[in-house]
């Protein structure tokens, strides 16, 4: 089970290092190269998805990725259209920080039959957007207001409610390309209060920042843009600092 693999990896290494790949920025050929490089760099899993997807080559891209990458490829879908049988699991997310019924439950209803059919492992995830200094694509596309970054109590209550609803992960996301990542204090308080494993991402640009998020208590740290823009440059360093144990 991939959920257990993530928890076990975080227990052994400190935190999991997840790379977010955007289907629109990756060709199947580029994915084959990226998969091999990230496998070698010690990446624990790849998240695959985006808020608004234009690409129609998702199955081919994931299949190419998996030629070189032998650890889990997990879908991180912006909508019901991003379900692919080629992946190993899906973050089955509800945008609990927002009050947009479409992303709280409607997309999930549309996606559920495809997920069942695909046999993907569905990981019930409370997805929370956190204010990050500028308007991100995730906030814009979701028509939702992010949680203020200096209000950890709001995030804590959302995560606890999600846990009581049966969700098994809390994803605190400043949004891709965020100006400021989620504050360390919010990560540690949400993890401690809710008891949910915390995934954190958005705007993490250096291995040092990634290490801080890991040490603050994130079960997994997600890096997208900072690696993508530079062809995976420094991936080994991120792995070393996130795996602080
Ligand atoms: C966004 O958490 C991810 O959902 C990653 O963000 O691209 O800014 O690293 P970045």
């Amino acid at each position: 089970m991939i959920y257990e693999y993530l928890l076990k990896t975080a227990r052994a290494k400190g935190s999991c290092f997840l790379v977010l790949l955007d289907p629109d920025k990756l060709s199947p050929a580029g994915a084959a190269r990226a998969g091999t490089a990230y496998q070698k760099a010690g990446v624990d899993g790849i998240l695959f998805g985006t808020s608004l997807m234009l690409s129609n080559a998702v199955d081919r891209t994931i299949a190419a990725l998996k030629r070189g990458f032998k650890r889990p490829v997990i879908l991180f879908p912006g909508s019901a259209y991003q379900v692919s049988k080629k992946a190993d699991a899906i973050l089955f997310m509800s945008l609990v920080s927002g009050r947009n019924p479409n992303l709280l439950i409607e997309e999930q209803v549309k996606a559920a039959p495809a997920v069942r059919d695909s046999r993907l492992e569905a990981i019930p995830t409370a997805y929370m957007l956190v204010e990050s200094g500028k308007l991100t694509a995730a906030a814009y596309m979701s028509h939702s207001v992010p949680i203020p970054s200096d209000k950890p109590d709001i995030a804590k209550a959302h995560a606890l409610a999600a846990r009581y609803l049966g969700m098994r992960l809390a994803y605190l996301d400043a949004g891709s390309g965020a100006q400021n990542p989620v504050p360390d204090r919010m990560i540690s308080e949400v993890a401690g209060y809710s008891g949910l494993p915390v995934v954190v991402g958005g705007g993490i640009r250096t291995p040092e920042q990634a290490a801080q998020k890991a040490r603050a208590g994130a079960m997994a740290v997600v890096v997208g843009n900072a690696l993508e823009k530079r062809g995976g440059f420094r991936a080994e360093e991120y792995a070393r600092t996130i795996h602080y144990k």
Side-chain angles (χ1 to χ4, degrees), residues 43-157:
V43 170
D44 300 307
I46 288 179
L47 294 187
F48 195 80
T50 179
S51 351
L52 172 69
M53 189 173 71
L54 309 177
S55 164
N56 57 8
V58 171
D59 286 354
R60 274 192 296 136
T61 307
I62 297 178
L65 193 58
K66 293 189 71 164
R67 281 206 292 276
F69 192 74
K70 302 301 170 196
R71 300 186 194 105
V73 175
I74 304 167
L75 298 174
F76 175 55
S79 75
Y81 299 110
Q82 293 185 34
V83 177
S84 164
K85 281 184 182 174
K86 300 285 179 191
D88 301 302
I90 181 167
L91 293 186
F92 203 80
M93 306 190 290
S94 178
L95 178 61
V96 298
S97 63
R99 298 295 180 269
N100 174 352
N102 185 40
L103 295 174
L104 276 167
I105 186 63
E106 191 169 347
E107 289 299 313
Q108 295 78 349
V109 171
K110 290 184 203 156
V115 171
R116 182 178 195 269
D117 181 53
S118 68
R119 298 176 181 271
L120 290 165
E121 177 182 332
I123 304 175
T125 303
Y127 185 57
M128 283 175 263
L129 288 174
V130 178
E131 185 274 319
S132 67
K134 72 167 192 186
L135 180 64
T136 60
Y140 177 80
M141 290 305 298
S142 63
H143 304 275
S144 76
V145 181
I147 296 175
S149 58
D150 61 348
K151 296 282 184 278
D153 285 358
I154 298 182
K156 283 156 64 176

Side-chain angles (χ1 to χ4, degrees), residues 23-40:
D24 285 330
K25 294 188 190 147
L26 206 61
S27 63
R33 280 194 300 276
T36 310
Y38 288 133
Q39 174 72 25
K40 205 162 142 242

Side-chain angles (χ1 to χ4, degrees), residues 17 41 109 122 124 126 137 141 148 215 241 245:
F17 175 25
V109 171
M141 290 305 298
R215 287 176 183 273
T241 59
K245 271 196 184 163

Side-chain angles (χ1 to χ4, degrees), residues 18-21 25 47 49-51 76 127 129 138 171-179 199-205 221-229 238:
L18 304 179
V19 169
L20 172 66
L21 296 178
K25 294 188 190 147
L47 294 187
T50 179
S51 351
F76 175 55
Y127 185 57
L129 288 174
Y171 191 140
L172 294 174
D173 198 348
S176 197
Q179 201 166 300
V199 178
V200 67
I204 297 171
R205 292 187 179 80
V221 179
V222 183
V223 184
N225 273 282
L227 287 165
E228 205 159 39
K229 277 195 185 138
Y238 280 96

